[in-house]
Amino acid sequence: MAPQAPEDAKRIAEAQKLAKTDPKQAESLYRDVLSKDPGSNDAAVKNFEVALVGLGELYREHKKVNELAELIRQTRSVLSTFARAKTAKLVRQLLDFFAAIPNTLEAQISVTKECIEWAVSEKRGFLRQNLETRLVSLYMQKQAYYDALTLINSLLKELKRLDDKLVLVEVQLLESRVYHALGNVPKGRAALTSARTSAASVYTPPLLQAGLDMQSGMLHAEDKDFNTAFSYFIEAMEGYHSQDDAAKTTAALQYMLLCKIMLNLGDDVTNLMASKQALRYAGKNLDAMKAVARAHTNRSLEEYEKSLSDFRYELGSDRFIASHLRRLYDAMLEQNLIKVIEPYSRVELAHIAKMVGLDTTQVERKLSQMILDKVIVGVLDQGAGCLIVFDESERDSGYDAALSTIEKLHNVVDVLYTNQASLLE
């Protein structure tokens, strides 16, 4: 095998040069190297590894999903002869290439499941756990939360028994995210507490620590504790920034801006947008938050809706941001409606709609909700198309006193009845 190694190294170097100009020839050269069994020769193993990653990158760049999946299947038999750590690293690296190709979620789930079955047959427990953790993340992206929780529960039992703290932290963090996505904040918080407890006794890599901080911030935001949430998002942003994860850093910055908007601190939003980090990661995502902040400061529903329309993808693709912006919109709409109807005892819905810049149906629906929530006291006269507002009468304290007296008399009668019953016995 040794005489072949220098020739294979030359083929790899040539393939790397041709990758952009002649991808077909580059693929052929890589496949030529991968067609040979490297055996136990270190140089041949190294060439096989470089060629495998190089061909995977080539398929990623040209979005060849099926070819990439087939490459993983074909090379598994050779990877079985490698050291366990090296095999795990290469399989993870090849699966990572899918993430850069759009609309490959189903393919990723399918290939990951195949790799899990292979890891089970090869009795590679560490690799299987790692792949199952990856599969949980993929299920979350697909919003298949039941499948994710089923897999999480089996993983947690195994990891607690093995006392593998690092993977345990990762799985517990995923569990918290799943429960949060399902709207079960208490269980999400409990899972995060478990993750932080496990993380206290083991070295936590910066990306995982940033993930814990990000999730902490999101759960505090759900409790409307935006000041604490902001401090966690700062920690998460710095963690992601230190690892050059631009997407996650930008997300953390968006969440920081969201906290300032929810706290009605427009000046802080301006200062944050002028900071070094925001300028470095400037783009449509941060511009979207700036537009929302401006509309909120101006108390303009029209501007707010325009922001949501102009930045539909940036504001709608993140469920956490979309959820809080809906709440913010409802709060702004309520404030505007209360301000408009305050001078009136009877007002036409068409006039209210014109004043807030919305159609009559939207206004009618919102006013109905506000009446049911007892935000305003009144009724909707749909026949006349108007809102009738009642004067909110003060509660008569005499009623409370009467109810209290009746309750005390009721207790006395109960005691007398009990005493009489005991005498008869």
Side-chain angles (χ1 to χ4, degrees):
M1 288 295 166
Q4 289 290 338
E7 292 299 320
D8 286 344
K10 286 179 184 177
R11 288 191 184 92
I12 291 167
E14 189 178 350
Q16 288 169 339
K17 288 179 184 176
L18 293 169
K20 290 188 177 178
T21 56
D22 191 353
K24 283 191 176 180
Q25 182 60 24
E27 181 183 352
S28 177
L29 289 166
Y30 280 134
R31 285 205 167 276
D32 190 31
V33 176
L34 294 172
S35 65
K36 300 160 190 169
D37 188 345
S40 58
N41 181 272
D42 289 342
V45 168
K46 181 66 178 173
N47 286 335
F48 187 93
E49 183 182 342
V50 175
L52 181 61
V53 174
L55 186 55
E57 287 175 340
L58 190 69
Y59 287 150
R60 178 193 65 192
E61 294 303 319
H62 292 87
K63 297 178 172 54
K64 293 187 175 182
V65 180
N66 295 332
E67 288 82 349
L68 182 55
E70 193 57 37
L71 176 66
I72 295 171
R73 293 187 193 104
Q74 288 173 351
T75 53
R76 280 202 296 246
S77 57
V78 178
L79 292 176
S80 299
T81 63
F82 288 7
R84 289 174 179 264
K86 188 185 287 291
T87 302
K89 178 189 169 188
L90 287 170
V91 170
R92 288 200 303 268
Q93 209 167 350
L94 290 170
L95 289 171
D96 283 341
F97 291 148
F98 280 105
I101 308 172
N103 306 316
T104 58
L105 187 56
E106 290 298 336
Q108 288 185 67
I109 290 172
S110 175
V111 176
T112 304
K113 282 180 175 178
E114 288 177 18
C115 289
I116 289 170
E117 289 172 9
W118 170 72
V120 170
S121 66
E122 291 288 319
K123 294 183 172 60
R124 301 200 176 210
F126 174 76
L127 177 59
R128 176 187 55 77
Q129 290 170 3
N130 197 282
L131 291 171
E132 286 182 343
T133 304
R134 177 187 291 269
L135 186 57
V136 170
S137 297
L138 295 172
Y139 280 147
M140 280 192 67
Q141 290 178 44
K142 190 184 174 183
Q143 297 183 16
Y145 299 123
Y146 176 78
D147 293 331
L149 280 175
T150 304
L151 192 52
I152 283 169
N153 289 334
S154 65
L155 268 171
L156 286 175
K157 286 176 187 174
E158 183 181 354
L159 293 167
K160 284 173 182 175
R161 189 175 67 251
L162 295 171
D163 202 31
D164 190 339
K165 294 286 188 187
L166 190 58
V167 184
L168 183 61
V169 173
E170 196 173 344
V171 175
Q172 286 170 331
L173 175 57
L174 286 169
E175 183 185 22
S176 177
R177 286 173 178 164
V178 171
Y179 280 124
H180 181 207
L182 289 168
N184 193 334
V185 175
K187 280 198 173 183
R189 193 179 294 108
L192 182 64
T193 302
S194 299
R196 286 198 169 277
T197 303
S198 302
S201 57
V202 68
Y203 168 73
T204 311
L207 276 177
L208 184 55
Q209 183 59 51
L212 291 169
D213 290 331
M214 189 79 116
Q215 185 66 8
S216 296
M218 292 168 83
L219 291 176
H220 276 286
E222 295 294 353
D223 292 336
K224 298 183 181 179
D225 184 1
F226 294 106
N227 283 314
T228 307
F230 182 81
S231 63
Y232 275 116
F233 290 140
I234 290 176
E235 295 295 327
M237 185 268 294
E238 289 175 351
Y240 288 130
H241 173 67
S242 69
Q243 299 301 302
D244 294 323
D245 191 330
K248 293 284 181 67
T249 306
T250 305
L253 279 166
Q254 279 186 282
Y255 296 169
M256 287 163 66
L257 289 166
L258 178 67
C259 288
K260 292 300 183 185
I261 293 168
M262 298 302 285
L263 289 166
N264 198 22
L265 299 172
D267 291 341
D268 286 4
V269 171
T270 306
N271 295 334
L272 194 53
M273 285 297 295
S275 67
K276 186 170 65 176
Q277 292 93 337
L279 292 172
R280 176 169 179 174
Y281 295 98
K284 289 197 78 176
N285 285 324
L286 297 188
D287 289 342
M289 300 307 296
K290 187 177 180 180
V292 168
R294 190 186 305 114
H296 183 246
T297 303
N298 295 338
R299 292 286 187 271
S300 171
L301 286 170
E302 190 178 348
E303 273 188 57
Y304 194 92
E305 289 200 322
K306 187 175 184 303
S307 302
L308 296 180
S309 175
D310 292 348
F311 298 98
R312 189 178 292 107
Y313 175 76
E314 289 78 14
L315 298 174
S317 58
D318 189 311
R319 293 182 64 184
F320 176 71
I321 290 176
S323 168
H324 281 281
L325 290 186
R326 278 196 299 273
R327 293 178 194 173
L328 186 64
Y329 178 81
D330 280 345
M332 283 178 64
L333 180 54
E334 279 191 10
Q335 288 168 9
N336 279 25
L337 288 171
I338 289 168
K339 187 177 178 182
V340 169
I341 67 176
E342 194 173 17
Y344 303 99
S345 58
R346 183 185 180 95
V347 57
E348 289 184 354
L349 296 178
H351 175 70
I352 300 172
K354 182 182 176 183
M355 293 296 288
V356 296
L358 297 175
D359 63 64
T360 311
T361 308
Q362 283 178 286
V363 168
E364 186 178 338
R365 191 183 305 119
K366 185 61 185 176
L367 287 172
S368 299
Q369 183 191 326
M370 290 170 72
I371 289 168
L372 289 170
D373 292 342
K374 297 182 180 178
V375 176
I376 53 177
V377 181
V379 292
L380 284 170
D381 186 341
Q382 290 177 313
C386 65
L387 169 72
I388 302 168
V389 184
F390 301 139
D391 290 331
E392 194 168 357
S393 56
E394 289 184 15
R395 188 181 180 91
D396 191 338
S397 59
Y399 288 114
D400 292 325
L403 285 170
S404 177
T405 304
I406 291 168
E407 187 179 358
K408 286 174 182 175
L409 283 170
H410 184 272
N411 292 336
V412 169
V413 170
D414 281 348
V415 170
L416 289 171
Y417 178 81
T418 306
N419 292 341
Q420 187 66 28
S422 61
L423 288 171
L424 290 172
E425 289 174 2

